[in-house]
Amino acid sequence: MEVVQVIPQDNYKIIVYFVDGAVKKYDVSHLVGEGVFECLKDMSFYKNNCTVLNGTLAWTLDGTYDKSNCIDIDPYVIYEKGEKISDPLLDIA
């Protein structure tokens, strides 16, 4: 399962687009402040460094988008535990 796009929301929920066309809303609030995810407490870091790396939802740690210098979440976890939603970008009138 491969992630192709992510859109961070203010409430620590992230819209995640998958290569198969699925769109999920994944809540990362349970990770915020825990271990390697400590940096997500900074809302600016959370929103500005949220990206796709290694085929999944990730945060670049130093702004270089180096695949070896990021924190990420297993795409299968996002796919299985994320809430299936309709594409919010298609709902824009």
Side-chain angles (χ1 to χ4, degrees), residues 66-91:
D66 180 341
K67 292 180 180 185
S68 66
N69 196 19
C70 70
I71 54 174
D72 59 19
I73 300 173
D74 185 323
Y76 290 98
V77 170
I78 300 167
Y79 198 87
E80 292 298 317
K81 299 197 181 233
E83 173 190 353
K84 184 177 180 178
I85 62 170
S86 61
D87 186 343
L89 298 177
L90 297 178
D91 294 335

Side-chain angles (χ1 to χ4, degrees), residues 12 28-42:
Y12 289 109
V28 297
S29 62
H30 67 286
L31 298 173
V32 174
E34 300 293 326
V36 297
F37 296 100
E38 175 75 23
C39 54
L40 299 184
K41 287 171 59 176
D42 177 344

Side-chain angles (χ1 to χ4, degrees), residues 8 43-50 59-60 65:
M43 185 58 71
S44 177
F45 179 90
Y46 157 77
K47 288 182 109 179
N48 294 326
N49 292 36
C50 185
W59 288 267
T60 177
Y65 298 92

